[in-house]
Amino acid sequence: MPDANLHTAVVLIIFNRPGTTSRVFEAIREARPPQLFIVADGPRTGSVDDPRDCAAARAIVEQVDWPCDVVHDYSGTNLGCRRRVASGLTRVFETVNQAIILEDDCVPHAAFFRYCEELLERWQDDDRIWSISGDNFQSGRRRTPYSYYFSRYIHVWGWATWRRAWRQYDDAMSLWPQVRDGGWLDDVLTSSALVAYWRARFEATYVETVDTWDYRWLLTCWLQHGLTILPQINLVANIGHGWQASHTTAISPWANLPTQPMPFPLDHPTHMIPDARADAYTESIMFTRPSWGARVRHQLGDLVRRFYRPMP
């Protein structure tokens, strides 16, 4: 059963997927947050389906039937992933000090909300912690008896943070040229392959060939040595992989990962050392040169998008 005493605001970020939005909204409805921020992007220019689908997604989240202060942040035009999420979260944190954040394809286990809320309270005044994630990609590996571990990697398929952290978000990536040209990634990362991987992604984000906010958030966190809390079990399933997604369009082994209940009370780590082995495993499966199988999956995803995605 979900915790009936949730006190933390929840943010739901939506666009044009009423099917996935409905499942995430049902999880939020079960948690009954006292305040709900709905951040919605507008239809893309020239899209035949977006006006209908955006309206359908918004109609779903209008069905709040519990005592709740609902704040609608609906864009009339399409801002894109980067500007819509960043501007929406900035507005949220002008109002509240902390929040739990879900996108329209991230379905949380009921325990996710209590897990986030307890850790938001515990670490609210510790500037070393920048975010709390509900994601675990360790494939069952567990190296400590504690409920969670610390990582240098953010995962945002269901997460939480504070105003104190988000107010440092650098949307312009203003320090990236200095970091890039000064070779500072070599001081953060452990191998030349990782440096090459992240240099390429940060550069693509900086020159805006990649429209996303999370790489900008990751760079901001790294430049301040900010840590993320990750659970020892997976609390969020991403159900949005496929041709309708903005970025997770390829077939992925991380789609629809099963979730598990989090045992309470939480068992807190006795030290604040990032789990280097857990991060190394994440790097080996996510942040290195794609394997042959991964390239095939990506190419299949490209074919699906090419032949089946409605053209704008």
Side-chain angles (χ1 to χ4, degrees):
M1 294 293 292
D3 187 344
N5 297 311
L6 184 64
H7 303 295
T8 303
V10 171
V11 182
L12 176 56
I13 301 167
I14 68 172
F15 178 33
N16 65 351
R17 292 187 286 180
T20 62
T21 298
S22 178
R23 291 183 59 183
V24 181
F25 181 73
E26 284 304 315
I28 294 173
R29 172 185 271 153
E30 289 295 318
R32 298 170 64 87
Q35 190 168 27
L36 178 62
F37 292 85
I38 307 295
V39 177
D41 206 358
R44 292 166 293 188
T45 301
S47 172
V48 174
D49 297 325
D50 273 4
R52 177 200 64 208
D53 293 339
C54 288
R58 295 180 186 190
I60 288 168
V61 300
E62 294 291 340
Q63 301 173 40
V64 175
D65 56 4
W66 68 93
C68 183
D69 173 23
V70 182
V71 180
H72 299 97
D73 184 358
Y74 290 177
S75 176
T77 59
N78 186 263
L79 300 178
C81 181
R82 167 199 168 188
R83 289 196 297 152
R84 177 64 292 203
V85 175
S87 63
L89 292 182
T90 296
R91 180 178 175 185
V92 167
F93 289 112
E94 289 172 352
T95 305
V96 297
N97 289 319
Q98 60 189 41
I100 298 168
I101 303 155
L102 290 162
E103 295 189 44
D104 63 1
D105 57 0
C106 298
V107 181
H109 189 282
F112 165 77
F113 297 98
R114 177 177 173 184
Y115 157 84
C116 285
E117 184 164 83
E118 290 192 10
L119 294 179
L120 283 168
E121 294 299 323
R122 181 179 181 88
W123 297 103
Q124 62 182 324
D125 297 321
D126 195 320
D127 290 340
R128 294 172 293 181
I129 306 299
W130 279 50
S131 68
I132 299 157
S133 174
D135 303 308
N136 180 285
F137 302 115
Q138 294 296 305
S139 304
R141 292 164 175 79
R142 181 168 180 162
R143 299 175 179 84
T144 75
Y146 308 117
S147 300
Y148 56 93
Y149 67 93
F150 302 101
S151 173
R152 68 166 168 242
Y153 287 106
I154 64 168
H155 292 301
V156 293
W157 292 352
W159 62 295
T161 192
W162 303 266
R163 174 189 293 163
R164 63 163 173 79
W166 185 257
R167 67 185 178 189
Q168 300 188 65
Y169 170 74
D170 182 8
D171 187 69
M173 297 178 70
S174 58
L175 294 178
W176 171 240
Q178 180 180 347
V179 171
R180 176 196 61 206
D181 300 340
W184 290 99
L185 285 183
D186 294 279
D187 297 332
V188 176
L189 301 168
T190 57
S191 73
S192 58
L194 281 170
V195 170
Y197 179 96
W198 284 111
R199 179 187 174 98
R201 276 145 187 81
F202 287 142
E203 182 66 17
T205 306
Y206 181 71
V207 301
E208 300 185 19
T209 57
V210 173
D211 176 35
T212 189
W213 61 275
D214 51 351
Y215 287 163
R216 297 168 191 271
W217 175 231
L218 176 63
L219 181 63
T220 303
C221 292
W222 278 1
L223 293 181
Q224 302 300 325
H225 289 280
L227 296 176
T228 292
I229 290 174
L230 299 178
Q232 294 285 8
I233 48 92
N234 187 49
L235 292 170
V236 182
N238 188 304
I239 62 170
H241 288 73
W243 61 267
Q244 279 191 306
S246 296
H247 296 106
T248 52
T249 49
I251 301 170
S252 170
W254 315 118
N256 300 295
L257 286 181
T259 59
Q260 298 174 257
M262 170 66 76
F264 293 97
L266 295 176
D267 190 357
H268 303 283
T270 57
H271 50 273
M272 280 191 64
I273 300 173
D275 191 327
R277 289 184 296 173
D279 280 353
Y281 180 74
T282 300
E283 291 163 350
S284 72
I285 60 174
M286 289 185 164
F287 305 140
T288 54
R289 181 182 297 275
S291 66
W292 177 85
R295 291 197 298 272
V296 169
R297 289 193 298 270
H298 184 75
Q299 290 165 359
L300 286 173
D302 285 343
L303 287 173
V304 170
R305 294 195 304 277
R306 179 178 178 184
F307 290 107
Y308 294 101
R309 186 170 188 171
M311 296 299 291

